[in-house]
Coordinates of all heavy atoms in Angstrom, one line a residue:
T16 N 101.9 104.2 100.8 CA 101.0 105.2 101.2 C 100.0 105.6 100.1 O 100.2 105.3 99.0 CB 101.7 106.5 101.7 OG1 102.3 107.0 100.4 CG2 102.8 106.2 102.7
T17 N 99.0 106.4 100.7 CA 98.0 106.7 99.5 C 98.5 107.7 98.6 O 98.1 107.7 97.4 CB 96.6 107.4 100.3 OG1 97.1 108.5 101.1 CG2 95.9 106.3 101.0
G18 N 99.5 108.5 98.9 CA 100.2 109.4 98.1 C 100.8 108.7 96.9 O 100.8 109.0 95.7
R19 N 101.6 107.5 97.2 CA 102.1 106.8 96.2 C 101.2 106.0 95.3 O 101.5 105.9 94.2 CB 103.1 105.7 97.0 CG 104.4 106.3 97.6 CD 105.2 105.3 98.2 NE 106.3 105.9 98.9 CZ 106.8 105.5 99.9 NH1 106.3 104.5 100.7 NH2 107.8 106.0 100.6
L20 N 100.1 105.7 95.9 CA 99.0 105.0 95.1 C 98.5 106.1 94.0 O 98.3 105.7 92.9 CB 98.0 104.4 96.0 CG 98.3 103.3 96.8 CD1 97.1 103.0 97.7 CD2 98.7 102.1 96.0
N21 N 98.3 107.2 94.5 CA 97.9 108.3 93.6 C 98.8 108.7 92.5 O 98.4 108.9 91.4 CB 97.4 109.6 94.5 CG 96.2 109.4 95.3 OD1 95.4 108.6 94.9 ND2 96.2 110.1 96.4
I22 N 100.1 108.6 92.8 CA 101.1 108.8 91.8 C 101.1 107.8 90.8 O 101.1 108.0 89.5 CB 102.6 108.9 92.4 CG1 102.7 110.2 93.2 CG2 103.6 108.8 91.3 CD1 104.0 110.2 94.1
L23 N 100.9 106.5 91.2 CA 100.8 105.3 90.3 C 99.5 105.6 89.3 O 99.6 105.3 88.1 CB 100.6 104.0 90.9 CG 101.9 103.5 91.6 CD1 101.6 102.3 92.4 CD2 103.0 103.2 90.5
T24 N 98.5 106.0 89.9 CA 97.3 106.4 89.0 C 97.3 107.6 88.2 O 97.1 107.5 87.0 CB 96.1 106.6 90.1 OG1 96.0 105.3 90.8 CG2 94.7 106.6 89.4
N25 N 97.7 108.6 88.9 CA 97.8 109.9 88.1 C 99.0 110.0 87.1 O 98.8 110.5 86.0 CB 97.7 111.1 89.0 CG 96.5 111.2 89.9 OD1 95.5 110.7 89.6 ND2 96.7 111.6 91.2
N26 N 100.1 109.6 87.4 CA 101.2 109.7 86.6 C 101.4 108.6 85.6 O 101.9 108.9 84.6 CB 102.5 109.9 87.4 CG 102.5 111.2 88.2 OD1 101.6 111.9 88.3 ND2 103.6 111.4 88.9
Y27 N 101.1 107.4 86.0 CA 101.4 106.1 85.3 C 100.1 105.4 84.8 O 100.2 104.6 83.9 CB 102.3 105.3 85.9 CG 103.5 105.8 86.4 CD1 103.8 106.3 87.6 CD2 104.7 105.9 85.4 CE1 105.1 107.0 87.9 CE2 105.8 106.4 85.6 CZ 105.9 107.0 87.0 OH 107.2 107.6 87.3
H28 N 99.0 105.8 85.2 CA 97.7 105.2 84.9 C 97.6 103.8 85.1 O 97.0 103.1 84.2 CB 97.4 105.6 83.4 CG 97.5 107.1 83.2 ND1 96.6 108.0 83.9 CD2 98.4 107.9 82.5 CE1 96.9 109.3 83.4 NE2 98.1 109.2 82.8
I29 N 98.4 103.3 86.0 CA 98.4 101.8 86.4 C 97.0 101.4 87.1 O 96.6 100.3 86.8 CB 99.6 101.5 87.2 CG1 100.9 101.9 86.4 CG2 99.5 100.1 87.5 CD1 102.1 101.7 87.2
L30 N 96.7 102.1 88.1 CA 95.7 101.7 89.1 C 94.3 102.3 88.8 O 93.7 102.4 89.7 CB 96.2 101.9 90.4 CG 97.5 101.1 90.8 CD1 98.0 101.6 92.2 CD2 97.5 99.8 90.5
N31 N 94.0 102.9 87.6 CA 92.9 103.8 87.4 C 91.6 103.1 87.9 O 90.8 103.7 88.6 CB 92.8 104.0 85.9 CG 93.9 105.0 85.4 OD1 94.4 105.7 86.2 ND2 94.1 104.8 84.2
D32 N 91.5 101.8 87.7 CA 90.2 101.2 88.1 C 90.1 100.7 89.6 O 89.0 100.4 90.0 CB 89.9 100.0 87.1 CG 91.0 99.1 87.0 OD1 92.2 99.4 87.3 OD2 90.7 97.9 86.7
I33 N 91.2 100.6 90.2 CA 91.2 100.1 91.6 C 91.8 101.0 92.6 O 91.9 100.7 93.7 CB 91.9 98.7 91.6 CG1 93.3 98.7 91.3 CG2 91.1 97.7 90.9 CD1 94.1 97.5 91.4
N34 N 92.2 102.3 92.1 CA 93.0 103.2 93.1 C 92.1 103.5 94.4 O 92.5 103.3 95.4 CB 93.3 104.5 92.4 CG 94.0 105.3 93.4 OD1 94.9 104.9 94.1 ND2 93.7 106.7 93.2
E35 N 90.7 103.6 94.2 CA 90.0 104.0 95.4 C 89.7 102.8 96.3 O 89.9 102.9 97.6 CB 88.5 104.5 94.8 CG 87.7 105.1 95.9 CD 86.5 105.7 95.2 OE1 86.5 106.4 94.2 OE2 85.4 105.5 95.9
D36 N 89.6 101.7 95.8 CA 89.6 100.4 96.5 C 90.9 100.3 97.2 O 90.8 99.9 98.5 CB 89.2 99.2 95.7 CG 87.8 99.1 95.1 OD1 87.0 99.9 95.7 OD2 87.5 98.4 94.2
I37 N 91.9 100.4 96.7 CA 93.3 100.3 97.3 C 93.4 101.2 98.4 O 93.9 100.8 99.5 CB 94.4 100.3 96.3 CG1 94.3 99.0 95.3 CG2 95.9 100.2 97.0 CD1 95.2 99.2 94.1
S38 N 93.1 102.4 98.1 CA 93.4 103.5 99.2 C 92.5 103.2 100.4 O 92.8 103.3 101.5 CB 93.0 104.9 98.6 OG 93.9 105.2 97.7
S39 N 91.2 102.8 100.2 CA 90.3 102.4 101.3 C 90.8 101.3 102.0 O 90.7 101.2 103.3 CB 88.9 102.1 100.7 OG 88.3 103.3 100.1
A40 N 91.4 100.2 101.2 CA 91.9 99.0 102.0 C 93.0 99.5 102.8 O 93.3 98.9 103.9 CB 92.2 98.0 100.9
Y41 N 93.9 100.2 102.3 CA 95.1 100.7 103.0 C 94.7 101.3 104.3 O 95.2 101.1 105.4 CB 96.0 101.6 102.1 CG 97.3 102.2 102.9 CD1 98.3 101.5 103.1 CD2 97.0 103.5 103.3 CE1 99.4 102.0 103.8 CE2 98.2 104.1 103.9 CZ 99.4 103.2 104.2 OH 100.3 103.7 104.9
E42 N 93.8 102.2 104.2 CA 93.3 103.0 105.3 C 92.6 102.0 106.3 O 92.8 102.2 107.6 CB 92.4 104.1 105.0 CG 93.1 105.3 104.2 CD 92.1 106.2 103.8 OE1 91.0 106.3 104.3 OE2 92.6 107.1 102.9
F43 N 91.9 101.1 105.9 CA 91.3 100.1 106.8 C 92.2 99.3 107.5 O 92.1 99.2 108.8 CB 90.3 99.2 106.1 CG 89.8 98.0 106.8 CD1 88.7 98.2 107.7 CD2 90.3 96.7 106.7 CE1 88.2 97.2 108.3 CE2 89.8 95.7 107.3 CZ 88.7 95.8 108.3
L44 N 93.3 98.8 106.9 CA 94.4 98.1 107.6 C 95.3 99.0 108.6 O 95.7 98.4 109.6 CB 95.4 97.5 106.5 CG 94.8 96.3 105.7 CD1 95.8 95.9 104.7 CD2 94.5 95.1 106.6
L45 N 95.4 100.2 108.1 CA 96.1 101.1 109.1 C 95.4 101.3 110.2 O 95.9 101.4 111.4 CB 96.4 102.4 108.2 CG 97.3 103.3 108.9 CD1 98.8 102.8 109.2 CD2 97.4 104.6 108.2
N46 N 94.0 101.5 110.2 CA 93.2 101.7 111.4 C 93.2 100.6 112.3 O 93.2 100.7 113.6 CB 91.8 102.2 110.9 CG 91.7 103.6 110.3 OD1 92.5 104.5 110.8 ND2 90.8 103.8 109.5
L47 N 93.0 99.3 111.6 CA 93.0 98.1 112.5 C 94.4 98.0 113.2 O 94.4 97.6 114.3 CB 92.9 96.9 111.6 CG 91.4 96.6 111.2 CD1 91.5 95.3 110.3 CD2 90.5 96.5 112.2
R48 N 95.5 98.3 112.5 CA 96.7 98.1 113.1 C 96.9 99.1 114.3 O 97.4 98.8 115.4 CB 97.8 98.5 112.1 CG 99.2 98.3 112.6 CD 100.4 98.5 111.4 NE 101.5 98.6 112.0 CZ 102.3 99.7 111.7 NH1 101.9 100.7 111.0 NH2 103.6 99.7 112.3
I49 N 96.6 100.4 114.1 CA 96.6 101.3 115.3 C 95.8 101.0 116.3 O 96.3 101.0 117.6 CB 96.3 102.8 114.7 CG1 97.4 103.3 113.8 CG2 96.1 103.7 115.8 CD1 96.9 104.5 112.9
R50 N 94.6 100.6 116.1 CA 93.6 100.0 117.2 C 94.3 98.9 117.9 O 94.3 98.9 119.2 CB 92.2 99.7 116.6 CG 91.2 99.5 117.7 CD 90.0 99.1 117.1 NE 90.2 97.6 116.8 CZ 89.2 97.0 115.8 NH1 88.1 97.6 115.6 NH2 89.5 95.7 115.7
D51 N 94.7 98.0 117.2 CA 95.4 96.7 117.8 C 96.5 97.1 118.7 O 96.6 96.6 119.7 CB 95.8 95.8 116.7 CG 96.1 94.4 117.3 OD1 95.2 93.8 117.9 OD2 97.4 94.0 117.1
Q52 N 97.4 98.0 118.2 CA 98.5 98.5 118.9 C 98.3 99.2 120.2 O 98.8 99.0 121.2 CB 99.5 99.3 118.1 CG 100.2 98.5 117.1 CD 101.3 99.2 116.4 OE1 101.2 100.5 116.2 NE2 102.2 98.5 115.7
L53 N 97.2 100.0 120.2 CA 96.6 100.7 121.3 C 96.2 99.8 122.4 O 96.4 99.9 123.6 CB 95.5 101.7 120.9 CG 95.9 103.1 120.2 CD1 94.6 103.7 119.8 CD2 96.7 103.9 121.3
K54 N 95.5 98.6 121.9 CA 95.1 97.6 122.9 C 96.3 97.0 123.5 O 96.2 96.8 124.7 CB 94.2 96.5 122.2 CG 92.8 96.9 121.9 CD 92.0 95.9 121.2 CE 90.6 96.2 120.7 NZ 90.0 95.2 120.1
K55 N 97.2 96.7 122.7 CA 98.4 95.9 123.2 C 99.1 96.8 124.2 O 99.7 96.4 125.3 CB 99.3 95.5 122.2 CG 98.8 94.4 121.4 CD 99.7 94.0 120.2 CE 99.1 93.0 119.3 NZ 99.8 92.7 118.1
M56 N 99.2 98.1 123.9 CA 99.9 99.1 124.7 C 99.3 99.2 126.1 O 99.9 99.3 127.2 CB 100.0 100.3 124.0 CG 100.9 101.5 124.7 SD 101.1 103.1 123.8 CE 99.5 103.6 123.7
R57 N 97.9 99.4 126.1 CA 97.1 99.4 127.3 C 97.2 98.2 128.2 O 97.1 98.4 129.4 CB 95.6 99.7 126.9 CG 95.4 101.1 126.4 CD 94.0 101.3 126.1 NE 93.8 102.7 125.5 CZ 92.9 102.9 124.5 NH1 92.2 101.9 123.9 NH2 93.0 104.0 124.0
S58 N 97.4 97.1 127.5 CA 97.4 95.8 128.3 C 98.9 95.4 128.7 O 99.1 94.5 129.2 CB 96.8 94.8 127.6 OG 97.4 94.4 126.4
G59 N 99.8 96.3 128.3 CA 101.2 96.0 128.6 C 101.9 95.0 127.7 O 103.0 94.6 128.1
H60 N 101.3 94.7 126.6 CA 101.9 93.7 125.7 C 103.0 94.5 124.8 O 102.8 95.7 124.5 CB 100.9 93.0 124.7 CG 100.1 92.0 125.6 ND1 98.8 92.3 126.1 CD2 100.2 90.7 125.8 CE1 98.4 91.3 126.8 NE2 99.1 90.2 126.6
E61 N 103.8 93.8 124.2 CA 104.9 94.2 123.3 C 104.1 94.6 122.0 O 103.3 93.9 121.4 CB 105.9 93.2 123.0 CG 107.1 93.8 122.3 CD 108.2 92.8 122.1 OE1 108.4 92.0 123.0 OE2 108.9 93.0 121.1
L62 N 104.5 95.8 121.5 CA 103.9 96.2 120.3 C 104.5 95.5 119.1 O 105.8 95.3 119.0 CB 104.1 97.7 120.2 CG 103.4 98.6 121.2 CD1 103.7 100.1 120.8 CD2 101.9 98.3 121.2
D63 N 103.8 95.1 118.1 CA 104.2 94.6 116.8 C 103.3 95.0 115.8 O 102.4 95.8 115.9 CB 104.3 93.1 117.0 CG 103.1 92.4 117.3 OD1 102.0 92.9 117.0 OD2 103.1 91.2 117.9
D64 N 103.6 94.5 114.5 CA 102.7 94.8 113.4 C 101.7 93.8 113.0 O 101.2 93.8 112.0 CB 103.7 95.1 112.2 CG 104.5 96.3 112.4 OD1 104.0 97.3 113.0 OD2 105.6 96.4 111.8
Q65 N 101.6 93.0 114.0 CA 100.5 91.8 113.7 C 99.2 92.2 114.3 O 99.2 92.6 115.4 CB 101.1 90.5 114.3 CG 102.3 90.0 113.7 CD 102.7 88.7 114.3 OE1 102.2 88.2 115.2 NE2 103.9 88.1 113.9
I66 N 98.2 92.0 113.5 CA 96.8 92.2 113.9 C 96.3 91.0 114.6 O 96.2 90.0 113.9 CB 95.9 92.8 112.8 CG1 96.5 94.1 112.3 CG2 94.4 93.1 113.1 CD1 95.9 94.6 111.0
A67 N 95.6 91.1 115.7 CA 95.2 90.0 116.4 C 93.7 89.7 115.8 O 92.7 90.4 116.2 CB 95.0 90.1 117.9
T68 N 93.7 88.9 114.7 CA 92.4 88.8 114.1 C 91.3 88.0 114.9 O 90.2 88.3 114.5 CB 92.7 88.0 112.7 OG1 93.2 86.6 113.1 CG2 93.6 88.5 111.8
E69 N 91.7 87.4 116.0 CA 90.6 86.8 116.7 C 89.7 87.9 117.5 O 88.7 87.6 118.0 CB 91.2 85.8 117.7 CG 92.2 86.5 118.7 CD 93.6 86.5 118.2 OE1 93.9 86.1 117.2 OE2 94.4 87.1 119.0
S70 N 90.3 89.0 117.5 CA 89.5 90.2 118.2 C 88.7 91.0 117.3 O 88.0 91.9 117.7 CB 90.7 91.1 119.0 OG 91.3 91.8 118.1
L71 N 88.7 90.6 116.0 CA 87.9 91.3 115.0 C 86.4 91.0 115.0 O 86.2 89.8 115.3 CB 88.4 91.1 113.7 CG 89.9 91.6 113.3 CD1 90.3 91.1 111.9 CD2 90.0 93.0 113.5
T72 N 85.5 91.9 114.7 CA 84.2 91.5 114.6 C 83.9 90.8 113.3 O 84.8 90.7 112.4 CB 83.3 92.8 114.6 OG1 83.6 93.5 113.4 CG2 83.6 93.7 115.9
A73 N 82.8 90.2 113.1 CA 82.5 89.4 111.9 C 82.5 90.3 110.7 O 83.1 89.9 109.6 CB 81.0 88.9 112.1
L74 N 82.0 91.6 110.8 CA 82.2 92.6 109.7 C 83.6 92.9 109.4 O 84.0 92.9 108.2 CB 81.4 93.8 110.0 CG 81.4 94.9 109.1 CD1 80.9 94.5 107.7 CD2 80.7 96.3 109.6
E75 N 84.4 93.1 110.4 CA 85.8 93.4 110.2 C 86.6 92.2 109.5 O 87.4 92.4 108.8 CB 86.4 93.9 111.6 CG 86.1 95.1 112.1 CD 86.6 95.5 113.5 OE1 86.8 94.4 114.3 OE2 86.7 96.5 113.7
K76 N 86.1 91.0 109.9 CA 86.8 89.8 109.4 C 86.4 89.7 107.8 O 87.3 89.4 107.1 CB 86.4 88.5 110.1 CG 87.0 88.4 111.4 CD 86.5 87.1 112.2 CE 87.3 87.1 113.5 NZ 86.8 85.9 114.4
R77 N 85.2 90.0 107.5 CA 84.9 90.0 106.1 C 85.6 91.1 105.3 O 86.0 90.8 104.2 CB 83.3 90.1 105.9 CG 82.4 89.0 106.2 CD 81.1 89.1 105.6 NE 80.4 90.2 106.3 CZ 79.6 90.2 107.4 NH1 79.7 89.1 108.2 NH2 79.1 91.3 107.8
S78 N 85.7 92.3 105.9 CA 86.4 93.4 105.3 C 87.8 93.1 105.1 O 88.4 93.4 104.1 CB 86.2 94.7 106.1 OG 84.8 95.0 106.2
F79 N 88.4 92.3 106.1 CA 89.9 91.8 106.1 C 90.0 91.0 104.9 O 91.0 91.3 104.2 CB 90.1 91.2 107.5 CG 91.6 91.2 107.8 CD1 92.3 92.3 108.1 CD2 92.3 90.0 107.7 CE1 93.6 92.2 108.5 CE2 93.6 89.9 108.2 CZ 94.3 91.1 108.5
K80 N 89.1 90.1 104.7 CA 89.2 89.1 103.6 C 89.1 89.9 102.2 O 89.9 89.6 101.3 CB 88.3 88.0 103.6 CG 88.6 87.2 104.7 CD 87.3 86.0 104.7 CE 87.6 85.1 106.0 NZ 86.4 84.1 106.0
E81 N 88.2 90.9 102.3 CA 88.1 91.8 101.0 C 89.3 92.4 100.7 O 89.8 92.7 99.5 CB 86.9 92.6 101.1 CG 85.6 91.8 101.1 CD 84.4 92.8 101.3 OE1 84.6 94.0 101.4 OE2 83.3 92.2 101.7
V82 N 90.0 92.9 101.8 CA 91.3 93.7 101.6 C 92.3 92.9 100.8 O 92.9 93.4 99.9 CB 91.8 94.2 102.9 CG1 93.3 94.6 102.8 CG2 91.0 95.3 103.4
F83 N 92.4 91.6 101.2 CA 93.3 90.8 100.5 C 93.0 90.5 99.0 O 93.9 90.3 98.1 CB 93.6 89.5 101.4 CG 94.4 89.8 102.6 CD1 93.8 89.9 103.8 CD2 95.7 90.1 102.5 CE1 94.6 90.1 104.9 CE2 96.5 90.4 103.6 CZ 95.9 90.4 104.8
Q84 N 91.6 90.5 98.7 CA 91.2 90.3 97.4 C 91.6 91.6 96.6 O 92.1 91.5 95.5 CB 89.7 90.1 97.3 CG 89.3 88.8 97.9 CD 87.8 88.5 98.0 OE1 87.0 89.5 98.0 NE2 87.3 87.4 98.1
I85 N 91.6 92.7 97.2 CA 92.0 94.0 96.6 C 93.4 94.0 96.4 O 94.0 94.5 95.3 CB 91.4 95.2 97.5 CG1 90.0 95.3 97.5 CG2 92.2 96.5 96.9 CD1 89.4 96.3 98.5
I86 N 94.2 93.5 97.2 CA 95.6 93.3 97.2 C 96.1 92.5 96.0 O 96.9 92.8 95.3 CB 96.4 92.9 98.5 CG1 96.2 94.0 99.7 CG2 97.8 92.6 98.2 CD1 96.6 93.6 100.9
V87 N 95.3 91.4 95.8 CA 95.5 90.5 94.6 C 95.3 91.3 93.4 O 96.1 91.2 92.3 CB 94.6 89.3 94.8 CG1 94.7 88.4 93.4 CG2 95.2 88.5 95.8
S88 N 94.2 92.1 93.3 CA 94.0 92.9 92.1 C 95.2 93.9 91.8 O 95.4 94.1 90.8 CB 92.7 93.7 92.3 OG 91.6 92.9 92.4
L89 N 95.6 94.5 93.0 CA 96.8 95.4 92.9 C 97.9 94.6 92.2 O 98.6 95.2 91.4 CB 97.0 96.0 94.1 CG 98.4 96.7 94.4 CD1 98.5 97.9 93.5 CD2 98.8 97.1 95.8
Q90 N 98.3 93.5 92.8 CA 99.5 92.8 92.3 C 99.2 92.4 90.8 O 100.3 92.5 90.0 CB 99.6 91.5 93.1 CG 100.0 91.7 94.5 CD 100.0 90.6 95.4 OE1 99.1 89.5 95.2 NE2 100.9 90.5 96.4
N91 N 98.0 92.0 90.4 CA 97.8 91.7 89.0 C 98.0 92.9 88.2 O 98.5 92.8 87.0 CB 96.4 91.0 88.9 CG 96.3 89.6 89.5 OD1 97.3 89.0 89.6 ND2 95.1 89.2 90.0
S92 N 97.4 94.0 88.6 CA 97.6 95.3 87.8 C 99.0 95.5 87.6 O 99.4 96.0 86.5 CB 96.9 96.4 88.5 OG 95.5 96.2 88.5
L93 N 99.8 95.5 88.7 CA 101.4 95.8 88.6 C 102.0 94.8 87.7 O 103.0 95.2 86.9 CB 101.9 95.9 89.9 CG 101.4 97.0 90.8 CD1 102.0 96.9 92.2 CD2 101.8 98.3 90.1
K94 N 101.7 93.5 87.8 CA 102.3 92.5 86.9 C 102.0 92.8 85.4 O 102.8 92.8 84.7 CB 101.7 91.2 87.2 CG 102.4 90.6 88.5 CD 101.8 89.2 88.8 CE 102.1 88.6 90.1 NZ 101.5 87.4 90.5
S95 N 100.7 93.2 85.1 CA 100.4 93.5 83.8 C 101.1 94.7 83.3 O 101.6 94.6 82.2 CB 98.8 93.8 83.7 OG 98.1 92.6 83.9
Y96 N 101.3 95.6 84.1 CA 102.0 96.9 83.7 C 103.4 96.5 83.4 O 104.0 97.0 82.5 CB 102.0 97.9 84.8 CG 102.6 99.2 84.5 CD1 102.1 100.2 83.6 CD2 103.9 99.6 85.1 CE1 102.8 101.3 83.4 CE2 104.6 100.6 84.8 CZ 104.1 101.5 83.9 OH 104.8 102.7 83.5
I97 N 104.0 95.8 84.3 CA 105.5 95.3 84.1 C 105.5 94.4 82.8 O 106.6 94.8 82.2 CB 105.8 94.8 85.4 CG1 106.0 95.6 86.6 CG2 107.2 93.8 85.2 CD1 106.3 95.0 87.9
N98 N 104.8 93.6 82.5 CA 104.9 92.8 81.5 C 104.6 93.7 80.2 O 105.3 93.5 79.1 CB 103.8 91.6 81.4 CG 104.2 90.6 82.5 OD1 105.5 90.5 82.7 ND2 103.2 90.0 83.0
E99 N 103.7 94.5 80.2 CA 103.4 95.3 79.1 C 104.4 96.4 78.7 O 104.8 96.7 77.6 CB 102.0 96.1 79.2 CG 100.8 95.3 79.2 CD 99.5 96.0 79.6 OE1 99.6 97.2 79.8 OE2 98.6 95.3 79.8
T100 N 105.1 96.8 79.7 CA 106.2 97.8 79.6 C 107.5 97.3 79.5 O 108.4 98.0 79.1 CB 106.1 99.0 80.7 OG1 106.4 98.4 81.9 CG2 104.9 99.7 80.6
G101 N 107.6 96.0 79.8 CA 109.0 95.4 79.7 C 109.9 95.9 80.8 O 111.3 95.8 80.6
L102 N 109.4 96.4 81.9 CA 110.4 96.9 82.9 C 111.5 95.9 83.5 O 112.4 96.4 83.9 CB 109.5 97.5 84.1 CG 108.8 98.8 83.9 CD1 107.9 99.2 85.2 CD2 109.8 99.8 83.6
L103 N 111.0 94.7 83.5 CA 112.0 93.7 84.1 C 112.6 92.9 83.1 O 113.2 91.8 83.5 CB 111.2 92.8 85.1 CG 110.7 93.6 86.3 CD1 109.9 92.6 87.2 CD2 111.7 94.3 87.1
T104 N 112.6 93.1 82.0 CA 113.3 92.4 80.9 C 114.7 92.7 80.9 O 115.2 93.8 81.1 CB 112.7 92.6 79.4 OG1 112.8 93.9 79.1 CG2 111.3 92.1 79.4
S105 N 115.5 91.7 80.6 CA 117.0 91.9 80.6 C 117.6 92.5 79.4 O 117.1 92.2 78.2 CB 117.7 90.6 80.9 OG 117.2 90.0 82.0

């Protein structure tokens, strides 16, 4: 959630440079998911957590790709933090 992302930024200073991007990406994905589920519900299809990417506009598809680039940045930031702090060392 965005609250958890803010905790990582404010309390641990992990995501300082990408927190805003990650929050926006999360909200974008959440909105796509809700919209997709509403479409499925209206058409009588079973609800799931998969977004039908074929129904996205060209702009949404570009944004969708950018979201995954932001997620890679998040993963890299977390890996760096874990390596620097030794959280996973035995």
Side-chain angles (χ1 to χ4, degrees):
T16 64
T17 53
R19 290 180 180 142
L20 293 171
N21 288 331
I22 289 171
L23 288 173
T24 300
N25 298 330
N26 296 3
Y27 300 98
H28 309 289
I29 298 173
L30 309 175
N31 292 332
D32 53 337
I33 59 172
N34 182 40
E35 194 172 311
D36 289 341
I37 294 168
S38 294
S39 296
Y41 175 76
E42 289 177 18
F43 174 77
L44 287 176
L45 188 60
N46 286 328
L47 281 181
R48 181 176 168 238
I49 290 169
R50 189 185 73 191
D51 192 65
Q52 287 184 341
L53 284 172
K54 284 182 184 177
K55 289 175 182 175
M56 188 172 65
R57 288 181 185 140
S58 64
H60 290 94
E61 185 174 334
L62 299 182
D63 56 31
D64 290 327
Q65 296 180 2
I66 296 172
T68 55
E69 64 275 357
S70 67
L71 299 178
T72 65
L74 176 61
E75 289 170 334
K76 287 179 182 178
R77 276 194 307 276
S78 297
F79 200 69
K80 289 178 185 177
E81 289 173 14
V82 162
F83 287 103
Q84 292 170 343
I85 292 168
I86 291 170
V87 168
S88 294
L89 168 65
Q90 290 171 331
N91 289 335
S92 293
L93 292 174
K94 283 178 191 175
S95 292
Y96 178 80
I97 289 168
N98 288 334
E99 289 170 10
T100 60
L102 285 177
L103 295 181
T104 58
S105 308

